[in-house]
Amino acid sequence: MNKLIAIFLCLFTLSFNGFASELKGVRIWPSPDSTRVVLDLTSAPVHDSFLLTGPDRIVVDINGPASKFDLTKIKNTSPLLKTIRTSTPKKKGTFRLVFDLHKATKPVIFSLTPTKPYGHRLVIDLPHNNIKSTKEVSAKKPVVPPSLNDQRDIVIAVDAGHGGDDPGALGKQTYEKHVTLAIAKRVAELINREKGMKAVLIRSGDYFVNLNKRSEIARKSQADLLISIHADGFHNPKPRGASVWVLSTRRANSEIGRWIEKHEEQSELLGGAGEVINKAEQDLFLTRTLLDMSMDHSMNTGYGVSVEVLKELGKVTTLHKKRPEHASLAVLKSPDIPSLLVEAGFITNRQEEVLLRNTSHQKKVANAVYAGVKRHFANNPPVGTYFAAIAAKSHVVQRGESLSVIAKRYGVSVNQLKLANQLKSDQLRVDQELKIPSS
């Protein structure tokens, strides 16, 4: 009988230890919209959590031994999270962590299975819930014909792939997320130097942005184009060369395309709460005709830009393929924003990993992306933009317009307009076509 009890206790202990997780590390990833806290654990966590107020805090109980990890050494720059500390749990065999907050939030808590270079993790996402009030302007402004300098900028959303707890593809010494951010920042810098163009960085630091949220950020910025910067990875070190990917309505038919899609699925899981269904796909069901037309325009524009970017990339690095490739990727699926994904090279190829780590090469890749984008929009400027205004060859006079108004709009003088059109007076007639001289 005693032997049976001893065996039972032994089995119970082994079973309990199978659900016990020891805390090995804590990482905090603040972003503009939320703070992600990642707990590194020795095994898959069994956990419970609840919220408390006065002051606001989150309590998380995890099955396992008391934590020996020094929580005072954690680097924390979050605007929402004050501190992480231990407390006494009510249940034996568990350890308790308390997350003290500056204000209340609704956390999203989920676990992740091991993915190189990380093991088992428990993730706590803390939305910042920042609500910025905007004042409505009720007074109507008089309608004034815009001058050349009043034309809107072409907005380019530049997305650095992966980030935070999602390292992306792994080289011998390099994480993809660091390479993509360095190149994306350089592309944005070049775009912002160009008159008539403006860049919006999807992420500006080492934090994760959910894949669907990336398109939302671009949309809120009224982007004309979304470029996602990546560095390829593969299961063997032989493939090399840069490539540009555009949306396919079918799964990729190449092995490398399927590999990229698999890595994006892993990134989607890192978003938490099962948020892996693209909102655009739901909308397509509701308003199929309009969105199909919009999607066709976006796909055609995205393909046109990708051709120009590939031409420029071919001048500074080896190309994996000389034509744009197709894959079904969430970051490309926005029906109203032309999108493309640039793979700067294979981080799993030793020679290209060395190049991708090199600042000079990163600048060359960024310059190529910028040059390709600029050439496309110079040849195909969106209506109402500065690029469209400077590309104008003629102007049809509208009712109420004068030479001075037209000259101001295109950034030329009245005398230049009169000389270009051999006008002897300032009189104009409606529907008269004027040649616009270069400014």
Side-chain angles (χ1 to χ4, degrees):
M1 185 65 180
N2 290 337
K3 286 184 178 180
L4 288 173
I5 293 173
I7 292 171
F8 174 78
L9 289 173
C10 182
L11 289 172
F12 178 80
T13 303
L14 288 171
S15 175
F16 178 81
N17 288 338
F19 292 102
S21 298
E22 185 178 351
L23 183 66
K24 289 294 186 182
V26 179
R27 284 168 287 122
I28 300 174
W29 305 96
S31 75
D33 300 320
S34 64
T35 293
R36 168 164 289 184
V37 182
V38 182
L39 308 180
D40 292 309
L41 302 161
T42 56
S43 60
V46 176
H47 62 92
D48 192 17
S49 63
F50 54 93
L51 304 177
L52 293 173
T53 58
D56 295 308
R57 57 202 188 277
I58 302 165
V59 180
V60 178
D61 290 335
I62 302 173
N63 286 12
S67 173
K68 297 177 182 178
F69 183 78
D70 187 356
L71 296 172
T72 63
K73 294 183 178 180
I74 302 170
K75 183 180 179 182
N76 178 24
T77 57
S78 169
L80 177 62
L81 179 63
K82 284 184 181 178
T83 56
I84 305 175
R85 56 185 171 85
T86 58
S87 185
T88 305
K90 290 185 176 180
K91 185 179 176 182
K92 289 185 178 180
T94 65
F95 67 92
R96 172 169 289 184
L97 294 176
V98 180
F99 300 81
D100 293 311
L101 307 172
H102 288 287
K103 64 177 182 178
T105 188
K106 291 183 179 180
V108 178
I109 303 176
F110 58 97
S111 58
L112 291 172
T113 55
T115 305
K116 288 183 179 180
Y118 304 117
H120 288 281
R121 288 154 289 167
L122 186 66
V123 179
I124 300 100
D125 277 342
L126 309 172
H128 291 169
N129 299 324
N130 286 337
I131 302 173
K132 295 181 179 179
S133 61
T134 56
K135 295 181 179 179
E136 294 185 1
V137 180
S138 56
K140 291 185 178 180
K141 294 182 179 180
V143 178
V144 178
S147 69
L148 191 65
N149 292 327
D150 292 332
Q151 303 295 322
R152 76 170 183 87
D153 292 333
I154 295 172
V155 180
I156 311 296
V158 186
D159 170 41
H162 308 281
D165 205 44
D166 176 16
L170 305 176
K172 292 288 184 182
Q173 306 174 32
T174 317
Y175 288 177
E176 179 184 359
K177 66 176 184 176
H178 298 314
V179 173
T180 62
L181 185 59
I183 295 174
K185 283 184 173 180
R186 177 62 181 170
V187 172
E189 182 184 341
L190 291 167
I191 289 172
N192 284 328
R193 286 182 189 173
E194 182 66 43
K195 185 173 176 60
M197 296 182 77
K198 175 186 173 184
V200 175
L201 275 172
I202 300 299
R203 71 174 177 95
S204 57
D206 188 10
Y207 52 84
F208 182 80
V209 179
N210 183 270
L211 294 178
N212 295 328
K213 186 72 179 287
R214 297 177 192 233
S215 292
E216 288 179 19
I217 294 171
R219 185 174 295 107
K220 286 178 181 177
S221 303
Q222 298 182 317
D224 296 281
L225 178 73
L226 170 62
I227 308 170
S228 191
I229 307 294
H230 287 254
D232 250 327
F234 202 53
H235 55 71
N236 73 61
K238 290 183 180 179
R240 64 176 302 172
S243 56
V244 179
W245 295 78
V246 292
L247 178 65
S248 170
T249 53
R250 299 180 179 181
R251 301 292 289 180
N253 55 13
S254 70
E255 188 179 358
I256 288 174
R258 290 191 295 271
W259 180 269
I260 292 171
E261 289 176 352
K262 181 180 176 182
H263 272 255
E264 191 188 61
E265 288 172 6
Q266 179 64 35
S267 292
E268 286 179 323
L269 293 175
L270 285 161
E275 194 178 346
V276 297
I277 299 173
N278 193 291
K279 184 176 183 291
E281 292 179 344
Q282 298 170 347
D283 292 343
L284 282 171
F285 178 76
L286 299 173
T287 53
R288 182 172 298 276
T289 303
L290 288 174
L291 284 173
D292 277 353
M293 291 170 63
S294 180
M295 181 67 86
D296 286 344
H297 167 74
S298 294
M299 291 174 69
N300 289 336
T301 302
Y303 188 88
V305 179
S306 68
V307 169
E308 299 295 345
V309 170
L310 269 174
K311 288 178 184 176
E312 295 299 322
L313 284 171
K315 298 175 183 178
V316 300
T317 190
T318 304
L319 292 182
H320 181 67
K321 290 286 179 66
K322 294 183 179 180
R323 302 294 297 171
E325 300 190 71
H326 295 79
S328 179
L329 300 168
V331 77
L332 302 177
K333 286 184 179 179
S334 176
D336 53 338
I337 305 173
S339 308
L340 61 144
L341 186 147
V342 176
E343 296 281 5
F346 281 82
I347 207 167
T348 45
N349 178 284
R350 188 67 189 108
Q351 289 75 29
E352 287 204 334
E353 180 186 7
V354 173
L355 279 175
L356 290 169
R357 289 170 60 88
N358 183 274
T359 303
S360 176
H361 184 74
Q362 290 173 356
K363 288 181 179 180
K364 289 178 182 178
V365 171
N367 288 341
V369 173
Y370 154 75
V373 170
K374 180 186 174 183
R375 184 164 64 242
H376 171 83
F377 283 113
N379 294 330
N380 306 274
V383 175
T385 63
Y386 175 83
F387 271 42
I390 62 175
K393 302 296 183 184
S394 63
H395 176 86
V396 177
V397 177
Q398 304 297 310
R399 189 176 300 278
E401 288 184 331
S402 64
L403 272 178
S404 59
V405 168
I406 296 170
K408 183 179 178 182
R409 178 175 182 179
Y410 291 102
V412 297
S413 69
V414 171
N415 285 335
Q416 284 176 309
L417 270 180
K418 292 176 74 172
L419 285 172
N421 293 277
Q422 298 180 349
L423 299 176
K424 295 181 179 179
S425 71
D426 292 349
Q427 297 298 314
L428 297 175
R429 67 178 185 277
V430 176
D431 294 332
Q432 180 179 354
E433 187 173 349
L434 299 177
K435 293 179 181 178
I436 306 298
S438 59
S439 57

